[in-house]
Amino acid sequence: EPEVTQTPSHQVTQMGQEVILRCVPISNHLYFYWYRQILGQKVEFLVSFYNNEISEKSEIFDDQFSVERPDGSNFTLKIRSTKLEDSAMYFCASAPVPNYGYTFGSGTRLTVV
Amino acid sequence: EDKVVQSPLSLVVHEGDTVTLNCSYEVTNFRSLLWYKQEKKAPTFLFMLTSSGIEKKSGRLSSILDKKELFSILNITATQTGDSAVYLCAVNAGGTSYGKLTFGQGTILTVHP
């Protein structure tokens, strides 16, 4: 069964450093998403991406965050200057159409120290 | 603001029991309600519901949606220890949304042998 692949599975970074989280969506999917889940809290929407541009973003997705699809297969989330409160599990997801039960990746656990 | 509330927050049962998990929502432009199972990392898709009163079934799991009363239930019959997980309810609200999901806080199900 096709999978959404995320790397790395765990990243530890110092506060103020830039991090890039990588995702390879399912190949024929057109809609891409990032979510995050702070330990013990709800899964929260960050951003959706379609046709090479951001289609929607949440209040969490401020100027410190950016997304890119650099080469037609990878989908990346960059956090420019990490804060302690960015520590969370970050999930990438993709879907063939926006109102379909889309597939999540296994997540990257980001720990900011 | 879109809102999804799940109950109970946690549930402990013995193998063979039947459980009912609840999800209520208040959203604008409802499109679909989705159930996910989250074990260690990635939420895995269970059901997507769009129409009231039509039961979706997969093995021992079933789910139904009531769009008039704005809730859904997920039933698991003859529970097994492998059903132990967090069960997430999420709603896809339309308008200009490109498939953004709003999640509930989840129900932690523990099945003892």
Side-chain angles (χ1 to χ4, degrees), chain B residues 29-80:
Chain B
N29 299 311
F30 173 88
R31 281 196 176 155
S32 58
L33 184 144
L34 299 96
W35 285 97
Y36 286 88
K37 178 182 182 182
Q38 187 177 28
E39 291 179 87
K40 288 181 182 170
K41 286 191 175 178
T44 52
F45 174 74
L46 295 175
F47 299 111
M48 184 172 80
L49 303 153
T50 55
S51 302
S52 265
I54 298 174
E55 186 183 52
K56 292 235 173 161
K57 208 166 160 59
S58 175
R60 297 176 293 102
L61 277 68
S62 64
S63 184
I64 198 158
L65 174 67
D66 185 328
K67 286 167 79 171
K68 186 179 170 194
E69 300 297 328
L70 308 182
F71 77 90
S72 172
I73 60 172
L74 175 69
N75 277 321
I76 309 174
T77 58
T79 49
Q80 301 169 358

Side-chain angles (χ1 to χ4, degrees), chain A residues 55-66:
Chain A
S55 43
E56 190 172 5
K57 59 184 181 179
S58 71
E59 290 172 358
I60 303 165
F61 195 89
D62 62 22
D63 291 345
Q64 293 301 310
F65 290 86
S66 62

Side-chain angles (χ1 to χ4, degrees), chain A residues 9-10 31 33 35 37 41-45 48 50 55-56 58 89 91 98-107, chain B residues 3-5 31-32 34 36 38 40-45 48 88 92 94 96-105:
Chain A
S9 57
H10 191 187
Y31 295 82
Y33 308 86
Y35 286 78
Q37 187 175 30
Q41 296 188 24
K42 291 185 185 187
V43 176
E44 301 173 289
F45 170 78
S48 59
Y50 168 69
S55 43
E56 190 172 5
S58 71
M89 181 74 92
F91 292 109
N99 299 314
Y100 198 74
Y102 43 72
T103 304
F104 283 85
S106 54
Chain B
K3 202 165 147 187
V4 178
V5 176
R31 281 196 176 155
S32 58
L34 299 96
Y36 286 88
Q38 187 177 28
K40 288 181 182 170
K41 286 191 175 178
T44 52
F45 174 74
M48 184 172 80
L88 300 173
N92 182 350
T96 56
S97 168
Y98 279 71
K100 165 191 161 186
L101 295 181
T102 300
F103 281 84
Q105 68 274 56

